[in-house]
């Protein structure tokens, strides 16, 4: 049966790119809503403060949220499969304090950086194996990963460890500037992770399998797709992103601290959901998650400009999250009715 548009025209008669857009327009609605909110936040803040949209503020938006952006990419992979990863904040703390500890002991950054990413990926692998081969619910498996990583962080050190290595600090202190606009190596790393993640999700067989698993896991199995490998790998990717984010945050703050990242997993999930990824799986975009992170970061900046308590950031994000969950539910119900 051929699909038709709202006005009765057959999709087959339209250009392929536009036809593809129409076929997934409902799944893009939350992402467009997030983009609209982001633009309205910027415009409203500019009107209210008069000096909000400036090169320095917009550059700082990426700088301050680079680690969150890296985490959001990995979380998008997991949630699109219908899973969840609560361990990312603790992995962030573990890899950050481990990075600082090893650097202070004189270990080369060329050893430390791959090792921290590997540690994060290993924790992700453990969670993925629990979910896929031991049939543990993702919430429980990742909660176990959360406690494991946090406990290991305290084993490494109970106190903050300052980073003195110039090579790591360079990631944050170096500014590539054009006029008053600037970007740091940490910002470049975050954007590269976003671009790679977006490419993998939309242009590779692995990415298409992720969507298939999240849409209907049983159907994906019947089609002969590598469901088990895919479900494990998304947690490995999320863990690796957690390890990389730990490095980015350590460079940003100049120190590792075992209590870093407490509650960060909730911030990441909120940003990903606001960016248009359905918690039920099957729908989501890495670029949408980036928009969600920028919405989160903009709200924090606005609250800071107003001189109000940062608790208002949580309140506003909570309200937005409720709004987007309702929007997602409406989309899911409409989709089920069309079937």
């Amino acid at each position: 049966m051929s699909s038709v548009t709202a006005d009765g025209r057959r999709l087959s008669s339209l250009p392929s790119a536009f036809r593809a857009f129409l076929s997934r327009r409902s799944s893009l609605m939350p992402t467009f809503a997030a983009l609209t909110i982001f633009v309205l936040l910027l415009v409203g803040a500019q009107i209210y403060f008069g000096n909000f949209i400036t090169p320095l503020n917009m550059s700082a938006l990426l700088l301050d949220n680079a680690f969150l952006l890296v985490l959001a990419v990995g979380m998008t992979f997991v949630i699109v499969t219908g899973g969840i990863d609560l361990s990312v904040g603790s992995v962030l703390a573990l890899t950050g304090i481990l990075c600082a500890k090893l650097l202070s002991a004189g270990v080369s950054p060329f050893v430390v950086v791959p090792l921290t990413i590997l540690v994060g990926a290993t924790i992700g692998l453990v969670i993925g194996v629990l979910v896929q081969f031991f049939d543990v619910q993702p919430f429980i498996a990742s909660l176990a990963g959360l406690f494991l990583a946090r406990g290991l962080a305290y084993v490494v050190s109970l106190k903050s460890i300052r980073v003195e290595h110039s090579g790591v600090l360079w990631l944050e202190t170096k500014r590539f500037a054009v006029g008053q606009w600037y970007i740091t190596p940490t910002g470049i790393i975050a954007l590269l992770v976003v671009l790679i993640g977006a490419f993998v999700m939309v242009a590779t067989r692995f990415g298409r399998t992720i969507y298939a698993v999240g849409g209907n896991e049983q159907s994906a199995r019947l089609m002969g797709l590598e469901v088990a490998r895919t479900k494990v790998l998304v947690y490995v990717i999320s863990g690796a992103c957690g390890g990389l984010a730990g490095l980015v945050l350590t460079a940003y703050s100049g120190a590792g601290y075992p209590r870093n990242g407490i509650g960060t997993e909730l911030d990441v999930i909120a940003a990903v959901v606001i960016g248009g990824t359905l918690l039920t799986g099957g729908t989501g975009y890495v670029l949408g998650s980036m928009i969600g992170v920028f919405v989160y970061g903009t709200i924090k900046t606005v609250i800071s400009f107003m001189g109000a308590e940062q608790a208002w950031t949580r309140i506003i994000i909570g309200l937005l999250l409720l709004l987007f969950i309702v929007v997602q539910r409406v989309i899911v119900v409409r989709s089920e009715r069309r079937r």
Side-chain angles (χ1 to χ4, degrees):
M1 180 181 296
S2 59
S3 300
V4 295
T5 62
D7 61 358
R9 293 177 299 169
R10 294 184 181 277
L11 288 178
S12 59
S13 65
L14 299 174
S16 58
F18 188 52
R19 186 167 66 247
F21 170 78
L22 286 174
S23 66
R24 64 175 186 270
R25 64 190 183 280
S26 62
S27 66
L28 287 168
M29 283 176 57
T31 301
F32 284 137
L35 181 59
T36 301
I37 289 175
F38 179 51
V39 172
L40 290 176
L41 280 171
L42 292 179
V43 173
Q46 177 63 25
I47 293 173
Y48 185 82
F49 297 110
N51 62 341
F52 189 84
I53 303 179
T54 64
L56 292 178
N57 282 341
M58 295 300 98
S59 298
L61 185 62
L62 176 59
L63 170 68
D64 296 338
N65 297 282
F67 75 96
L68 195 64
L69 193 52
V70 174
L71 291 176
V73 173
M75 187 66 75
T76 303
F77 278 73
V78 172
I79 294 181
V80 170
T81 63
I84 200 76
D85 188 357
L86 300 178
S87 71
V88 292
S90 296
V91 170
L92 173 85
L94 170 61
T95 55
I97 193 67
L98 181 62
C99 174
K101 181 79 169 181
L102 293 175
L103 289 173
S104 66
V107 181
S108 169
F110 294 103
V111 174
V112 172
V113 172
L115 181 61
T116 54
I117 297 174
L118 180 61
V119 168
T122 301
I123 293 178
L125 176 62
V126 171
I127 295 171
V129 169
L130 288 174
V131 169
Q132 178 57 36
F133 298 106
F134 291 88
D135 202 26
V136 179
Q137 289 294 322
F139 182 92
I140 301 300
S142 61
L143 187 63
L146 180 154
F147 286 115
L148 172 63
R150 185 68 64 181
L152 290 174
Y154 287 129
V155 169
V156 174
S157 177
L158 293 174
K159 299 180 180 179
S160 174
I161 300 177
R162 188 174 180 82
V163 175
E164 304 287 351
H165 197 286
S166 59
V168 174
L169 295 177
W170 175 86
L171 295 174
E172 184 63 25
T173 57
K174 177 64 177 177
R175 299 287 194 273
F176 299 102
V178 177
Q180 289 187 315
W181 293 89
Y182 68 87
I183 189 171
T184 62
T186 54
I188 294 173
I189 290 172
L191 292 178
L192 284 176
V193 171
V194 169
L195 290 176
I196 293 172
F199 175 80
V200 170
M201 289 288 280
V202 303
T204 67
R205 179 182 175 85
F206 175 64
R208 291 189 291 272
T209 303
I210 290 175
Y211 283 110
V213 170
N216 190 315
E217 184 175 331
Q218 186 60 33
S219 295
R221 292 183 190 278
L222 293 175
M223 288 189 293
L225 299 178
E226 295 284 351
V227 173
R229 184 177 66 180
T230 299
K231 289 181 68 175
V232 172
L233 279 178
V234 294
Y235 287 97
V236 173
I237 290 170
S238 182
C241 286
L244 182 58
L247 172 65
V248 170
L249 182 60
T250 299
Y252 176 75
S253 62
Y257 186 47
R259 292 183 60 84
N260 275 343
I262 293 178
T264 299
E265 59 277 354
L266 303 181
D267 296 335
V268 177
I269 293 170
V272 171
V273 172
I274 289 172
T277 300
L278 267 64
L279 286 171
T280 52
T283 298
Y285 306 95
V286 170
L287 294 180
S289 297
M290 180 177 70
I291 295 170
V293 170
F294 287 156
V295 168
Y296 177 84
T298 301
I299 291 173
K300 285 200 304 181
T301 305
V302 169
I303 297 298
S304 178
F305 265 57
M306 295 178 67
E309 292 288 338
Q310 282 299 322
W312 282 102
T313 300
R314 302 287 182 179
I315 295 172
I316 296 172
I317 289 295
L319 292 174
L320 279 177
L321 189 58
L322 287 173
L323 172 64
F324 274 83
I325 289 175
V326 171
V327 171
Q328 289 184 4
R329 185 56 189 165
V330 170
I331 291 172
V332 170
V333 170
R334 289 180 60 185
S335 177
E336 290 176 348
R337 287 178 178 175
R338 288 175 181 174
R339 293 176 188 173

